[in-house]
Amino acid sequence: MSLFFIVALPFFGALLPGLMNAAGRSATAGVTFTVTLAAFVGLLTNLPAILAGNVVMVRVDWLPLLGLNFSLMLDGLGFFFAFLILGIGLLIIAFARHYLSRDDNMGQFFTYLLLFQGAMVGIVLSDNILLLLVFWELTSLSSFLLIGYWKHLPEGRQGARMALTVTGMGGLAMIGGMLILGQIAGSYDLSVILQNRDLIQADPLYVPALILILLGAFTKSAQFPFHFWLPHAMAAPTPVSAYLHSATMVKAGIFLLARMWPVLSGTTEWFMIVTSVGLITMVLGAVIALFKHDLKALLAFSTVSHLGLITMLLGTGTAFGAMAAVFHILNHATFKAALFMSAGIIDHEAHTRDIRRLGGLRKLMPVTFGVASLAALSMAGIPLLNGFLSKEMMLEEAYHTVLFSSSWLVPSLAVVGALFSAAYSFRLIGHVFLGPVRDDYPAKPHDPGAGLWLPPSILVMLVVLIGVAPFIVEPLVKLVTASVLGDAAEVPKAHFKIWHGLVPALYMSITAVVGGLLLLVVFNPALRLWDNAPRPEAKVIFESLVNFVVRLARTITLPLHNGSFTRYAAIAIITMVAAGYYAWTTGTVGAATYRMQAAGAVPIAGWLMLVAATAGMVMMHRNRLLSLILIGIVGLMVSTGFVFLSAPDLAMTQFTVEVVTIILLLLALNFLPNTTPVESSVLRRVRDAGVAVIGGLATFGLSYHYMLRDPIITPISEFHLANSYKGGGGTNVVNVILVDFRGFDTYGEIIVLGIAALLIYALTETLLNGPVRARLLNRKPDQARSGMRHPMMMVVLTRVLFPIIVMVGFYIFLRGHNEPGGGFIAGLIVSIGVVMQYMASGFGWASARLRYPYHGVIGAGVLIAGLTGIGSWFVGKPFLTSAFTYVRIPPFETFELATAALFDLGVFLAVVGAVMLSLESFSRLAGLANGPSDNNNPMDVDPSRDDLTASKEKAV
């Protein structure tokens, strides 16, 4: 199966659980399981190529000029992580089906889960670091939804916010590091970057890039000092915790360290930072875990500790350390997922996770006891279980690691970490399952059905199988290790065996296990000592830091950002003028290369009219209607200026926009007072006038000097002029820019236009269904209304003009690619024609003849424009690349066919729909305010209708 489908399946599959929610819990879980299984099987189809040592790669250019390509790579490392993500995902889905209660929205849960799953698969299969960053942030967002799934729990909401804040900030740092790395290597493709180890490490920006990338990895994998967010994420449902802690989110940072190992490791900076942070995290997490009473909290801090162990192994920079890290990633995924699911079973049946309220469950829940005990013993590093093997390898690597010129520091701390790990594992078994049966459980514990205990049992079977026959996974681990090492080192020759002889690692392991048992014996005194010892609380520090940042932001922003637009404008204008003045006085200005042309009488007269209208608007702006008229005059004069400067497209656009906006604003003014109150003091108005004059003079001076000199750089207009016809198939450069060169911008603009119209509609619906409705019904006009609101002459005139206007709009649309016009202008022209029908005969008559809802017109326009852009992908071209040809159909002349016309059709429909939906919304408000006088007849006085009515009355 193509890698594209493997990545895309979870995202497209996320649409299904919500649709299947009404079909029942089993159907919802079943479709989620099927989607994940399909992706898993698709991954396995690539296994032969991976076992043969090949790298599967696919690539589609997305934004090639930015170096962002949708390129995917599947090697041993990517396969290994994708296998864990999808394989354990299947077990989590099966477990969640029986764990979640009937009150939980299962469709929503599985939608979030599939989104998260797709983002994780995207990370491990990405070959482009920019694409990896996109998936990286998607994991933060989707994990936020999963952790906060139980929105009714304050701790769930807090844990979700904390996770998003910490991992999001780390992601921002990582973006900077990745961009630096791409610039050093000359490519953003991982397959290229991984081949430039010497180039990257010799660059002076290597250390900044390393630190920024490590910040991203450490925050994601909860490494010290960012370890505190992960335990708070345990507020999520247990299936989420099991998935996040074992195979997915927290392993994303580990994956990044492993993926970048060939180019970033091997330096002093890498060794000192990564090894130290991993070592501290391993010990600190293990110590805290021992004294946690919440079962999930204990497991969460144990995850922190084991992630630190893996980080430390990768930090040593040796091939053996990398192989041990890979092996422990596999082992940790199996026993930790099983342990979290076991904790969920206990909570599900006993209704508590508090270890102090448990004990004696061995007799009441024998199946759960067996599963959890084997997984916990593996976590403790007991022989014949897989955790023992990778722990031995860790201790062996630690024994040979020298840190800060000390040969005993790393081995000693590794033993301490392993000792506490054994202690909390033994505590989990002893304090939860052993001891006498109690009579004060919150609920009577018992083993659940197979739906809950079977998924962790499958994982525990792997724990035992790997532990007694490690040679089974040795080829896989070495294959993955080879992908981690790349060309930087050779895969170690060491074989996976249970017995390696009387080596230092064995004595260190015995010390850790025996020490863990002894520590459990003195647990109560140690707990009192721990409770009484002063220590910083990471959560308190985090919250204090967040509060400090919020207070600082408020101190800075509130005096500036107080809602006053005049203040914002004044600050911006003064800042820009000051910066421009500084540049003018400190820089150099070349001699003028052009002469100023003589201005004729007509341009001067037009300029004076524009100035007069602008000044009049400033002086009389408190009269809303007069201000609107003056604004219209300003717009018309600007349109005239465009015509004078040979810009007919801009002139037509400006003119039609003015007509439409004036009509819409007139409708809006119908609900506002005629005048605005005086809100500014004289001093403030004088200040604002001074700022406006300074800004205007500065703009005039800059424009004057710029237009008298040659451009500093070659204008992009020269490119557009040279390529408009041969690249876009049109001679109207403005239209080609809109539908081809800058088609993506235009597409975004029509979407925004449609959203604005839909928001107006939504606000109208709110007003019509809220308390404002009563105010509109009781509204009394301040002036007498005309007795003839729909005069016959206007009705007749608009009916005659409408087909002409539509024909003109059709003509403007068709000629737009080669002559002034296009879909946007045509849409406005047709909108004016439809608006005239509303004005002539009223909302009631016009809406009764509406055949297609304006929402659908907007949607059709956006859809047509989008599909036109997508069509270019099928011929290997970037989004919205135009194609054109010339055809001749006798007896017609040769004419052009261009895909840009379809895109322009989408623009046309979106503009018509947006304008008319806005008009309709205002008209509905006006109709409600005007009461029943708005009849459904086309005109108020109709001689034929009136004569017929009179004849009928006379006959009666």
Side-chain angles (χ1 to χ4, degrees):
M1 182 184 290
S2 170
L3 301 186
F4 287 130
F5 288 110
I6 296 173
V7 174
L9 269 173
F11 288 109
F12 286 111
L15 300 172
L16 299 178
L19 298 175
M20 298 296 294
N21 210 20
R25 296 159 55 83
S26 297
T28 306
V31 73
T32 308
F33 188 90
T34 302
V35 169
T36 304
L37 181 62
F40 185 69
V41 172
L43 179 71
L44 293 180
T45 60
N46 293 279
L47 180 58
I50 301 302
L51 293 177
N54 299 323
V55 177
V56 181
M57 300 186 71
V58 292
R59 174 191 178 102
V60 172
D61 290 339
W62 186 4
L63 298 173
L65 293 180
L66 297 179
L68 176 54
N69 303 308
F70 203 98
S71 51
L72 302 175
M73 173 178 66
L74 181 65
D75 60 355
L77 180 64
F79 180 89
F80 175 63
F81 272 91
F83 183 88
L84 292 178
I85 293 165
L86 296 172
I88 293 182
L90 290 171
L91 299 177
I92 295 297
I93 293 166
F95 181 81
R97 158 61 185 89
H98 300 277
Y99 179 84
L100 296 176
S101 71
R102 295 190 177 276
D103 295 331
D104 294 322
N105 188 327
M106 192 166 284
Q108 187 181 81
F109 176 84
F110 283 126
T111 295
Y112 296 161
L113 189 72
L114 284 175
L115 289 174
F116 177 72
Q117 183 185 100
M120 280 301 307
V121 173
I123 286 178
V124 301
L125 297 188
S126 292
D127 181 43
N128 185 281
I129 57 176
L130 300 181
L131 181 64
L132 186 148
L133 290 170
V134 172
F135 287 122
W136 188 274
E137 296 306 322
L138 282 176
T139 60
S140 295
L141 294 174
S142 52
S143 65
F144 170 81
L145 297 174
L146 281 172
I147 295 170
Y149 172 74
W150 280 336
K151 295 178 279 292
H152 61 283
L153 298 178
E155 56 269 25
R157 300 194 299 270
Q158 183 189 55
R161 289 195 300 267
M162 186 180 293
L164 182 63
T165 302
V166 176
T167 60
M169 294 300 293
L172 288 175
M174 187 176 125
I175 290 173
M178 287 297 194
L179 291 176
I180 294 173
L181 205 62
Q183 290 297 313
I184 295 173
S187 173
Y188 293 114
D189 288 342
L190 272 169
S191 52
V192 176
I193 293 173
L194 296 179
Q195 303 299 319
N196 287 277
R197 174 188 176 94
D198 295 336
L199 175 66
I200 291 173
Q201 295 189 359
D203 195 278
L205 293 177
Y206 163 75
V207 173
L210 173 67
I211 293 174
L212 291 172
I213 292 172
L214 290 180
L215 281 174
F218 289 164
T219 52
K220 204 72 158 184
S221 288
Q223 297 299 288
F224 177 84
F226 310 107
H227 61 284
F228 55 87
W229 74 262
L230 183 57
H232 290 282
M234 70 181 180
T238 296
V240 175
S241 301
Y243 203 31
L244 264 63
H245 288 241
S246 63
T248 53
M249 184 173 176
V250 294
K251 295 288 175 64
I254 298 297
F255 168 81
L256 184 67
L257 294 177
R259 176 59 81 196
M260 305 309 297
W261 195 93
V263 293
L264 297 182
S265 69
T267 63
T268 303
E269 294 84 1
W270 168 277
F271 174 71
M272 299 296 287
I273 296 173
V274 180
T275 304
S276 300
V277 168
L279 203 57
I280 294 172
T281 306
M282 179 177 69
V283 176
L284 183 63
V287 173
I288 297 175
L290 176 63
F291 300 105
K292 287 296 178 181
H293 302 301
D294 187 310
L295 194 53
K296 284 180 66 175
L298 184 153
L299 293 175
F301 276 104
S302 76
T303 298
V304 171
S305 177
H306 281 266
L307 291 173
L309 183 157
I310 299 169
T311 300
M312 184 268 291
L313 288 172
L314 291 171
T316 60
T318 66
F320 187 83
M323 185 170 69
V326 170
F327 194 22
H328 196 68
I329 290 171
L330 172 63
N331 295 337
H332 179 260
T334 54
F335 66 66
K336 186 54 61 71
L339 282 170
F340 263 106
M341 285 189 268
S342 298
I345 292 172
I346 294 170
D347 188 20
H348 191 270
E349 303 303 327
H351 293 183
T352 183
R353 299 195 308 259
D354 192 336
I355 297 176
R356 294 168 297 185
R357 304 186 64 185
L358 296 171
L361 297 184
R362 175 178 60 86
K363 298 178 181 179
L364 300 176
M365 306 175 68
V367 176
T368 307
F369 166 67
V371 171
S373 296
L374 287 172
L377 291 174
S378 178
M379 184 167 63
I382 301 303
L384 300 183
L385 299 171
N386 62 357
F388 167 76
L389 300 169
S390 51
K391 184 194 72 172
E392 292 285 291
M393 296 174 70
M394 179 274 293
L395 294 174
E396 178 68 23
E397 180 66 15
Y399 181 77
H400 295 95
T401 301
V402 177
L403 181 64
F404 300 119
S405 302
S406 173
S407 60
W408 58 267
L409 180 61
V410 175
S412 300
L413 291 178
V415 171
V416 171
L419 186 151
F420 276 89
S421 179
Y424 63 66
S425 300
F426 295 146
R427 184 192 176 206
L428 188 153
I429 298 172
H431 291 187
V432 174
F433 293 101
L434 302 182
V437 176
R438 303 173 60 154
D439 56 4
D440 59 346
Y441 299 113
K444 184 64 174 177
H446 59 85
D447 274 323
L452 285 179
W453 61 255
L454 185 58
S457 298
I458 294 173
L459 291 170
V460 167
M461 289 170 61
L462 292 175
V463 166
V464 176
L465 180 63
I466 296 173
V468 298
F471 57 86
I472 294 176
V473 296
E474 180 178 340
L476 172 65
V477 173
K478 289 191 173 181
L479 177 68
V480 177
T481 304
S483 298
V484 173
L485 300 179
D487 298 329
E490 296 290 333
V491 178
K493 304 294 185 181
H495 295 289
F496 293 2
K497 296 187 298 184
I498 300 174
W499 175 254
H500 287 277
L502 300 175
V503 294
L506 178 63
Y507 298 114
M508 296 165 70
S509 179
I510 294 173
T511 302
V513 172
V514 174
L517 287 171
L518 294 176
L519 184 57
L520 186 61
V521 172
V522 297
F523 174 76
N524 289 330
L527 178 62
R528 288 192 294 270
L529 184 63
W530 173 263
D531 290 337
N532 295 327
R535 61 185 182 276
E537 279 291 339
K539 177 184 175 183
V540 175
I541 296 174
F542 171 78
E543 291 176 346
S544 301
L545 182 62
V546 170
N547 292 333
F548 169 76
V549 172
V550 170
R551 289 195 302 270
L552 179 63
R554 287 175 176 169
T555 302
I556 297 173
T557 58
L558 287 182
L560 300 174
H561 193 76
N562 65 343
S564 172
F565 175 77
T566 55
R567 174 177 293 189
Y568 304 157
I571 294 173
I573 291 172
I574 292 173
T575 302
M576 287 185 286
V577 170
Y581 179 76
Y582 173 79
W584 177 268
T585 55
T586 58
T588 56
V589 180
T593 55
Y594 302 103
R595 289 186 303 105
M596 184 172 178
Q597 299 178 0
V602 174
I604 292 176
W607 179 78
L608 290 174
M609 293 174 64
L610 180 62
V611 171
T614 306
M617 185 178 64
V618 172
M619 299 299 295
M620 295 177 283
H621 71 278
R622 301 198 190 284
N623 187 311
R624 285 194 167 103
L625 180 60
L626 186 57
S627 298
L628 192 57
I629 295 172
L630 291 171
I631 288 174
I633 294 174
V634 170
L636 293 176
M637 293 310 303
V638 171
S639 301
T640 305
F642 286 144
V643 173
F644 179 76
L645 296 172
S646 301
D649 277 283
L650 295 179
M652 286 193 293
T653 303
Q654 179 71 31
F655 181 80
T656 50
V657 166
E658 286 296 325
V659 173
V660 170
T661 52
I662 290 297
I663 293 174
L664 292 177
L665 287 173
L666 280 172
L667 284 171
L669 289 183
N670 185 42
F671 304 99
L672 298 173
N674 294 330
T675 59
T676 60
V678 178
E679 296 177 344
S680 303
S681 64
V682 176
L683 183 62
R684 176 174 292 183
R685 278 178 277 169
V686 171
R687 181 205 68 181
D688 293 343
V691 172
V693 170
I694 292 172
L697 290 175
T699 304
F700 163 75
L702 179 63
S703 302
Y704 176 79
H705 285 280
Y706 185 82
M707 289 188 291
L708 290 180
R709 288 160 177 81
D710 289 323
I712 300 174
I713 58 175
T714 303
I716 195 173
S717 57
E718 294 188 9
F719 170 83
H720 291 150
L721 290 168
N723 292 276
S724 175
Y725 181 73
K726 65 181 182 181
T731 56
N732 180 4
V733 181
V734 174
N735 183 263
V736 174
I737 290 173
L738 291 176
V739 301
D740 192 312
F741 295 131
R742 302 295 296 273
F744 202 78
D745 290 352
T746 306
Y747 185 57
E749 287 163 6
I750 64 173
I751 291 175
V752 171
L753 186 64
I755 292 173
L758 291 173
L759 285 176
I760 293 175
Y761 175 81
L763 289 173
T764 303
E765 284 292 304
T766 303
L767 293 175
L768 292 176
N769 296 314
V772 177
R773 178 184 178 87
R775 295 179 57 186
L776 288 173
L777 289 172
N778 297 322
R779 183 172 180 263
K780 301 297 182 183
D782 54 354
Q783 296 180 3
R785 298 294 185 183
S786 170
M788 188 177 292
R789 296 165 57 193
H790 308 305
M792 180 177 63
M793 290 302 298
M794 186 173 183
V795 172
V796 173
L797 182 62
T798 56
R799 298 296 189 275
V800 173
L801 287 177
F802 184 68
I804 299 174
I805 292 173
V806 172
M807 183 176 65
V808 171
F810 185 65
Y811 171 69
I812 291 295
F813 173 81
L814 290 179
R815 77 196 293 261
H817 210 47
N818 293 290
E819 299 291 340
F824 190 83
I825 299 172
L828 290 171
I829 291 173
V830 173
S831 297
I832 292 172
V834 181
V835 167
M836 290 170 61
Q837 309 307 310
Y838 276 83
M839 294 174 62
S841 297
F843 171 73
W845 180 88
S847 60
R849 283 148 184 82
L850 180 64
R851 295 292 179 268
Y852 304 102
Y854 295 125
H855 311 75
V857 176
I858 296 173
V862 173
L863 183 62
I864 290 172
L867 291 176
T868 303
I870 292 173
S872 58
W873 288 349
F874 292 96
V875 293
K877 299 292 184 180
F879 183 68
L880 281 174
T881 301
S882 293
F884 61 93
T885 187
Y886 294 89
V887 298
R888 184 178 185 277
I889 303 176
F892 302 106
E893 296 292 331
T894 300
F895 60 93
E896 180 185 7
L897 289 178
T899 57
L902 291 174
F903 181 78
D904 232 4
L905 176 62
V907 174
F908 170 84
L909 292 174
V911 170
V912 172
V915 172
M916 297 315 303
L917 184 61
S918 303
L919 173 74
E920 184 186 47
S921 300
F922 286 130
S923 299
R924 292 173 66 202
L925 290 174
L928 186 64
N930 293 332
S933 60
D934 188 12
N935 60 60
N936 292 326
N937 296 313
M939 61 189 81
D940 294 328
V941 177
D942 187 343
S944 61
R945 182 187 68 215
D946 295 341
D947 291 344
L948 180 62
T949 303
S951 300
K952 290 182 178 179
E953 291 175 353
K954 186 176 180 179
V956 173

